[in-house]
Amino acid sequence: MANTSTSADEGGVLETIKVVVQALLIALVVRTFLFQPFNIPSGSLIPTLLIGDYLFVSKYSYGYSKYSIPFSPPLFSGRIWAAEPQRGDIAVFKLPRDNSTDYIKRVIGLPGDRIQMIDGILHINGQPLKKQAVGKEDVNAGAGYRDRATFYRETLPNGISYVIQELDIYGNKLGRNTPVYQVPPGNFFMMGDNRDNSLDSRDMTSQGVGYVPFENLIGRAEVIFFSVSEEGAAWKVWEWPWTVRWNRLFKPVH
């Protein structure tokens, strides 16, 4: 009886290990080839994405590069099953200056485009984009400061529109007037919707973002599956009734 009991216990342990390994392999496949979760730690895409948003990014949208794989092993260069992003996509990518930090911005410039900001109006290939004021609101400007924000609806040449934010006092207004950026082949120009508080492709210095190589793209933001206010934390389950932004759950990202 003792031997039978020991064998049954060992069989139960082995079966548990087998199930755990299978679950880990399935999770790895899903994360690598289908969807990867990300959380938003900064306000560079306000009002589209808020600090505390958790979203799924589709890994298959642009094909796969070494950055699609955990720890970015140098198994190959370039992309396989590649599909270029559309102007207006919100994409996650590896920061070009270190190829390790995850950033998320909106795709504004495609290869060959000329991008320029003039008095806060985005110009693509010499044409100003339509920019319509849609409201004002008092907002958190960071570091304990409040500011007045003006919201505008901006429309891209392909018809995609979204709302951007400009700050009245504390925003970095240098980004409202820029030189002309000629996007190199195989690269993209990325910008945040929080135009006065976004480190993006407008900064070409060694501490900026610059142009983003196609290889660095990880995937396209698809849907917000969870969201918690800046005062809360996802792990504080007991605070969820008043810290979770229930109206943002399962909201598509545009």
Side-chain angles (χ1 to χ4, degrees):
M1 293 294 292
N3 289 338
T4 301
S5 177
T6 301
S7 298
D9 292 341
E10 290 176 350
V13 171
L14 290 174
E15 188 63 27
T16 300
I17 293 173
K18 180 180 177 182
V19 170
V20 170
V21 169
Q22 289 175 338
L24 290 174
L25 288 174
I26 292 172
L28 180 61
V29 169
V30 170
R31 183 189 183 279
T32 301
F33 296 104
L34 299 177
F35 295 97
Q36 182 173 343
F38 286 89
N39 75 292
I40 305 301
S42 73
S44 68
L45 274 165
I46 292 173
T48 306
L49 294 177
L50 306 180
I51 297 173
D53 282 347
Y54 289 76
L55 50 87
F56 283 123
V57 169
S58 59
K59 303 292 286 293
Y60 52 83
S61 295
Y62 308 136
Y64 305 95
S65 73
K66 64 182 179 181
Y67 299 114
S68 303
I69 305 171
F71 309 111
S72 305
L75 301 179
F76 59 95
S77 61
R79 304 192 78 88
I80 57 175
W81 301 310
E84 286 195 355
Q86 295 185 11
R87 202 191 310 273
D89 284 358
I90 293 181
V92 174
F93 57 93
K94 293 294 184 182
L95 185 63
R97 68 169 181 259
D98 63 19
N99 291 326
S100 62
T101 306
D102 292 330
Y103 260 47
I104 182 168
K105 305 290 179 184
R106 190 180 294 277
V107 178
I108 294 297
L110 305 179
D113 281 346
R114 290 175 287 111
I115 307 296
Q116 186 178 21
M117 294 290 294
I118 302 177
D119 295 330
I121 296 177
L122 177 61
H123 289 63
I124 299 179
N125 297 323
Q127 299 299 314
L129 299 193
K130 181 181 178 181
K131 179 182 175 183
Q132 179 182 6
V134 293
K136 283 182 171 287
E137 185 178 328
D138 289 327
V139 298
N140 180 7
Y145 293 97
R146 303 290 298 178
D147 202 344
R148 186 72 171 168
T150 304
F151 300 101
Y152 299 92
R153 179 164 294 279
E154 188 172 79
T155 303
L156 293 170
N158 59 359
I160 293 177
S161 68
Y162 45 86
V163 177
I164 64 171
Q165 170 181 291
E166 291 182 358
L167 298 175
D168 291 352
I169 302 173
Y170 297 109
N172 176 15
K173 297 177 179 60
L174 293 177
R176 296 187 188 180
N177 288 281
T178 71
V180 176
Y181 301 101
Q182 181 84 40
V183 184
N187 285 262
F188 297 87
F189 194 93
M190 318 293 285
M191 291 179 65
D193 294 346
N194 189 355
R195 288 292 165 80
D196 294 330
N197 193 13
S198 172
L199 182 62
D200 51 39
S201 292
R202 289 173 290 178
D203 189 343
M204 292 287 171
T205 69
S206 60
Q207 298 303 310
V209 173
Y211 302 117
V212 177
F214 190 20
E215 183 181 43
N216 284 51
L217 297 184
I218 296 174
R220 183 179 64 204
E222 298 290 351
V223 65
I224 299 168
F225 67 86
F226 189 71
S227 183
V228 63
S229 68
E230 295 180 49
E231 297 76 23
W235 59 272
K236 294 182 179 180
V237 180
W238 60 91
E239 294 182 355
W240 282 9
W242 57 88
T243 60
V244 171
R245 302 181 182 111
W246 299 102
N247 64 327
R248 295 185 66 79
L249 271 58
F250 308 109
K251 180 180 179 180
V253 177
H254 298 297

